[in-house]
Amino acid sequence: MTETLTPPAVAASADSPLALLFDIALEIGVQGEDEQREDAVTAALDHVWNVYPDTLGKAVDADDWSGLPARAEVGLEPCAVAYLDGGLWLHHTVDGDQEHDVLTLIAPCTCTNGYVDTALDGERDLLQVLTELRATGGRFPHHNERPDCHSQHRLRAWGDTRP
């Protein structure tokens, strides 16, 4: 015999504590885009100042970061980006599953058809990557065994909407 469990009906009067808690949960649970942007920049600054105090902590300040809201439809958390110059960017987000900061350096590829990104793991890692990039004028070396940069991330003139 199969028995279906019928959930209890929750009927809260408009002035009950339960109704008030439902309203509070609705207000607190939904963070606006502006708040997401601000929180993303704050998280990026905190991470950079704590993990990269002698490099990025000195070179990139609060005004360099721009926050972006979550894009739930494609599974993206709020993030912050900072333009470094010469086509190089920093991207910071928090891995939603593990609450782990992820800082990525994005730089043009030497093939000139796209970007290459690398997740950074502390100041030593950053210094090593910067040393390698200096030798190539701020571009990651193109590797034929990786997916074609051209098919991944096209470099194009500002405003050009071609894929």
Side-chain angles (χ1 to χ4, degrees), residues 74-98:
V74 289
L76 296 177
E77 299 287 329
C79 66
V81 294
Y83 183 63
L84 299 177
D85 204 5
L88 281 77
W89 293 83
L90 287 173
H91 176 273
H92 177 271
T93 191
V94 176
D95 179 357
D97 294 336
Q98 299 176 2

Side-chain angles (χ1 to χ4, degrees), residues 112-117 148-156:
T112 71
N113 287 323
Y115 285 90
V116 176
D117 55 36
D148 181 24
C149 294
H150 183 74
S151 65
Q152 296 274 324
H153 312 280
R154 275 192 55 83
L155 290 176
R156 55 183 158 257

Side-chain angles (χ1 to χ4, degrees), residues 47 52 80 91-96 99-104 119-120:
H47 181 67
Y52 303 88
H91 176 273
H92 177 271
T93 191
V94 176
D95 179 357
E99 295 295 319
H100 174 74
D101 289 279
V102 179
L103 184 65
T104 305
L120 299 172

Side-chain angles (χ1 to χ4, degrees), residues 6-27:
T6 306
V10 178
S13 63
D15 60 345
S16 74
L18 182 58
L20 179 60
L21 286 172
F22 283 156
D23 291 342
I24 290 171
L26 184 61
E27 289 176 24

Side-chain angles (χ1 to χ4, degrees), residues 14-83:
D15 60 345
S16 74
L18 182 58
L20 179 60
L21 286 172
F22 283 156
D23 291 342
I24 290 171
L26 184 61
E27 289 176 24
I28 292 175
V30 178
Q31 197 178 39
E33 286 188 4
D34 289 341
E35 212 172 14
Q36 289 180 39
R37 285 183 181 96
E38 289 174 23
D39 288 351
V41 168
T42 300
L45 287 168
D46 182 62
H47 181 67
V48 165
W49 288 337
N50 286 310
V51 179
Y52 303 88
D54 296 325
T55 53
L56 297 175
K58 291 179 179 177
V60 183
D61 61 22
D63 294 336
D64 296 321
W65 290 97
S66 297
L68 301 167
R71 295 201 45 216
E73 67 276 6
V74 289
L76 296 177
E77 299 287 329
C79 66
V81 294
Y83 183 63

